[in-house]
Amino acid sequence: MKDPSWVLLRTDRSFRRYWLGQGAASAGAQVTGIAIPLVTAIALDAGPAAVSIVAAAGTLPYLLFSLVAGHLLQGRDQRRSMVAADIAQCVILAQIPLAWAGGWLSVPLLAAVTFLSGCCALIFGLSAFAFVPALVVDQDLAPANRAVQATRTVTEISGPGLAGLLVSAVGAPGALIATMLGHLASAVGVASSRPRKQRSVAAAPASGASMPAGEESRNAVPGSVQQKRPTLLTGLRILFGDRHLRALTVHAATYNAAEQILMLNLILWAVQQQDVGVGAYGLALAGAGVGGLLGTLTALRLADKAGLGPAFAVSLVLSCAVPLLLPVWPVTGWTLAAVIAAVMLLRGIGEGNANIYSLTMRQQLIPRDELTRSAGAYTQVMYGSIPLGALLAGVVGETLGIRAGVLIGAVGLVLSALPMLTPAFLRLRTIPAVAAA
């Protein structure tokens, strides 16, 4: 049987253009992740505090504006919003090489640039969540998500190495030109793609993807949303009014907080107490990227064979339960690095599967005329738990010890899976229809 994602890319020119643009933008984002910290640390000779401030500025918009942005973007032309966000990214990021060449680059300028860039990324991400379901037919939604996610995972694996070579060749500020080109390619890809309602002939559905629910359910709106004028809290009401969406949201928020506790303590425990070298630790973490790619590529086949509920349960076991092996393994040095690599590989497979299932379920269960607003609410909840988890990571590590912090973070991952492991969820074969009021 032909791979449904490949069939979609081969037969749907509009989606293929969008996919190529997103691949270029994802590759450029990897350059940004390497170049901006290096600009801060090397070009400005700044310390860890300045590096962390600049990095935090890029994620701050997700914490501050997700709910508001989703509400304001709802009902607008997603394609125009995404193109405008990409072009704005180019203009904003251009300030770094220009300021560096002019001799007026500073930490406050870098923080402002990364903050504004984060705002643009937020707008693009929320709009894209609603744009992809309008770009392909329902049967192709899971293959479309997998194609985009697989490309993103490939760039996450290969991007840092290529970004390092680019930075070595042209310098960190100059390397950001590659990011700008990536956003230009994304803008071209989005602008040249057409939602199905704007095409004269609808794209033919690909075979082999049974995850999406029936066409009749995609525009169903719970009575509470139909009877009330949409407000800033409408997205939250949708997420927490449906049992499946509620489980996905609570799981994501709890998982992100627990992951902060786990990972921030893991690096200290492994490197400082267990004699794992910094290089060995970095190589071990690369296993997560490899696993993520494997999970993304196998997600649809697993769901087709086992059913959505059981497939999701397998992914949760890998991503949430396997990390419990980290603090209890009585080894040090390279042996512990190998254990970390194996755990990250399995965890990455689970995350790769779960990301496809979660994204497609949310796009199918949320009413089409509330996708952007609900995506903003989901992002607000999901990102809001990250600083809380980072704060708890420090408190736990200081009071109970960093090894205990690793264990507590791993236990938190297990607890995050509980809302998903209900009989109703485990019995799912495909994405359920939206319940009538």
Side-chain angles (χ1 to χ4, degrees):
M1 183 175 61
K2 294 182 178 180
D3 182 86
S5 296
W6 174 248
V7 172
L8 177 63
L9 288 171
R10 185 170 54 84
T11 59
D12 193 327
R13 180 184 301 176
S14 192
F15 174 74
R16 184 167 63 247
R17 290 171 176 173
Y18 172 78
W19 171 77
L20 288 171
Q22 294 318 292
S26 182
Q30 297 304 311
V31 177
T32 303
I34 298 292
I36 288 186
L38 289 178
V39 170
T40 311
I42 297 176
L44 298 179
D45 194 25
V51 173
S52 64
I53 288 173
V54 172
T59 59
L60 193 59
Y62 291 87
L63 179 62
L64 297 179
F65 306 135
S66 291
L67 198 62
V68 175
H71 180 69
L72 295 178
L73 289 170
Q74 184 62 55
R76 299 184 181 274
D77 189 323
Q78 287 104 13
R79 192 157 59 101
R80 290 183 179 179
S81 299
M82 294 161 73
V83 171
D86 270 327
I87 294 175
Q89 286 266 43
C90 294
V91 175
I92 292 168
L93 291 173
Q95 305 312 304
I96 295 178
L98 290 175
W100 176 66
W104 38 277
L105 188 64
S106 65
V107 171
L109 176 62
L110 277 178
V113 166
T114 54
F115 177 79
L116 293 174
S117 178
C119 290
C120 294
L122 173 63
I123 292 171
F124 188 97
L126 296 181
S127 300
F129 180 78
F131 183 68
V132 174
L135 193 61
V136 300
V137 296
D138 280 4
Q139 290 84 352
D140 284 339
L141 189 53
N145 288 329
R146 189 182 71 158
V148 173
Q149 184 63 39
T151 305
R152 184 175 295 126
T153 304
V154 169
T155 60
E156 289 173 355
I157 295 172
S158 60
L162 296 176
L165 293 175
L166 185 60
V167 170
S168 299
V170 300
L176 289 171
I177 296 175
T179 303
M180 296 161 56
L181 294 175
H183 284 296
L184 282 178
S186 174
V188 171
V190 173
S192 61
S193 60
R194 290 291 184 273
R196 284 177 290 117
K197 64 182 179 181
Q198 295 182 9
R199 305 184 210 174
S200 57
V201 180
S207 60
S210 60
M211 286 175 57
E215 185 81 15
E216 72 280 357
S217 67
R218 66 178 186 174
N219 288 316
V221 182
S224 60
V225 178
Q226 284 182 323
Q227 295 169 5
K228 296 181 180 180
R229 183 178 180 181
T231 68
L232 195 63
L233 301 180
T234 298
L236 289 173
R237 288 205 305 269
I238 292 173
L239 292 180
F240 288 94
D242 178 275
R243 60 179 178 177
H244 300 301
L245 292 174
R246 182 169 58 248
L248 289 169
T249 305
V250 173
H251 163 65
T254 309
Y255 186 93
N256 282 349
E259 183 183 37
Q260 292 293 306
I261 300 173
L262 171 70
M263 298 306 295
L264 292 179
N265 281 284
L266 178 63
I267 185 172
L268 297 176
W269 176 65
V271 174
Q272 292 183 351
Q273 295 185 1
Q274 300 300 108
D275 299 323
V276 176
V278 175
Y281 184 79
L283 289 174
L285 292 187
V290 176
L293 179 60
L294 293 174
T296 299
L297 295 177
T298 58
L300 297 187
R301 182 171 298 180
L302 180 61
D304 280 341
K305 290 185 176 299
L308 178 60
F312 219 139
V314 171
S315 72
L316 292 175
V317 169
L318 293 176
S319 61
C320 299
V322 171
L324 282 172
L325 298 174
L326 288 171
V328 300
W329 207 267
V331 291
T332 60
W334 277 100
T335 306
L336 179 58
V339 172
I340 295 174
V343 169
M344 292 301 163
L345 176 68
L346 294 174
R347 180 181 167 216
I349 293 173
E351 283 188 346
N353 285 335
N355 286 340
I356 301 300
Y357 304 148
S358 175
L359 178 59
T360 306
M361 283 190 71
R362 288 188 291 116
Q363 288 172 330
Q364 284 291 111
L365 288 175
I366 296 171
R368 288 293 166 90
D369 58 353
E370 293 291 347
L371 279 173
T372 308
R373 187 176 286 115
S374 298
Y378 183 85
T379 304
Q380 185 76 57
V381 175
M382 185 176 65
Y383 273 87
S385 68
I386 292 177
L388 176 61
L391 178 63
L392 289 175
V395 173
V396 170
E398 289 289 342
T399 56
L400 301 178
I402 51 181
R403 183 170 187 172
V406 175
L407 179 60
I408 291 173
V411 171
L413 294 181
V414 174
L415 294 177
S416 75
L418 296 183
M420 308 283 293
L421 301 178
T422 62
F425 209 104
L426 294 175
R427 285 195 299 265
L428 289 177
R429 300 298 300 175
T430 61
I431 296 175
V434 179

